[in-house]
Amino acid sequence: MKKIKIGIGLTALLLIFFMTLGTLWNYSGLKTIEDSDKQNEPPVADQNEKPIAGESRKKQTPKLELTQEHINLEIGAIFNPIDYIKTAEDSYGYSVKDKVTVDTKIPTDKKGMYEIEYSLLINDKAAVKKKLIVEVKDMTDK
């Protein structure tokens, strides 16, 4: 009787062991219908990746945004026009700040109102233009 109880217990233990092993072994192979459908779809490109040859990507209008439209500078201040570019994106959404040109230099040693024109160049043509008004002031005057 004791041998039968040990045999049944051992059999139950082995059965549980193999069921657990089989479940773990097949777990990664279990898929839903939706997962198997996704295998037949082409991969979707991340917005920050460049398009692969032959891949189509949704185009957008090139975008150029400045941090502000009007700034005040003190006489003698250092002015870097690139610091005022918030966003410069091509028609695929890639950052292209290096393709922005600035047409005017500001004489920060003279008081006055100056207008700077920023141009985003796409295929060597100005696709988007923005203007920044720069007012150079003597901040000690009231």
Side-chain angles (χ1 to χ4, degrees):
M1 188 75 160
K2 201 174 190 182
K3 288 183 181 181
I4 295 174
K5 287 182 181 179
I6 292 175
I8 293 172
L10 187 56
T11 303
L13 186 62
L14 285 173
L15 183 62
I16 292 170
F17 173 77
F18 284 114
M19 285 176 53
T20 305
L21 184 64
T23 302
L24 292 174
W25 184 51
N26 285 321
Y27 183 76
S28 64
L30 297 176
K31 295 180 181 175
T32 64
I33 294 171
E34 294 157 357
D35 291 338
S36 61
D37 287 343
K38 287 182 183 176
Q39 289 178 352
N40 297 328
E41 294 177 7
V44 178
D46 183 358
Q47 288 296 320
N48 295 325
E49 293 178 7
K50 291 192 176 182
I52 300 167
E55 175 189 28
S56 63
R57 185 173 230 195
K58 186 177 179 183
K59 284 191 168 187
Q60 64 183 24
T61 303
K63 186 188 318 183
L64 177 60
E65 295 177 3
L66 302 179
T67 58
Q68 42 199 106
E69 295 175 1
H70 183 270
I71 62 166
N72 294 316
L73 291 178
E74 186 172 356
I75 288 181
I78 297 173
F79 175 70
N80 185 1
I82 301 303
D83 292 342
Y84 296 93
I85 299 173
K86 180 178 181 180
T87 305
E89 294 179 351
D90 67 5
S91 54
Y92 294 103
Y94 299 117
S95 178
V96 286
K97 281 187 179 181
D98 59 327
K99 293 188 178 185
V100 176
T101 61
V102 181
D103 73 344
T104 307
K105 294 192 181 209
I106 299 296
T108 59
D109 59 336
K110 297 179 187 174
K111 290 195 294 186
M113 296 275 285
Y114 303 95
E115 185 177 270
I116 297 180
E117 185 172 82
Y118 292 80
S119 298
L120 173 57
L121 301 177
I122 303 293
N123 297 327
D124 296 325
K125 295 179 185 173
V128 183
K129 293 184 178 187
K130 293 286 180 173
K131 292 186 180 183
L132 175 68
I133 305 296
V134 179
E135 187 173 355
V136 179
K137 298 180 176 182
D138 185 355
M139 299 293 187
T140 58
D141 291 345
K142 290 191 179 185

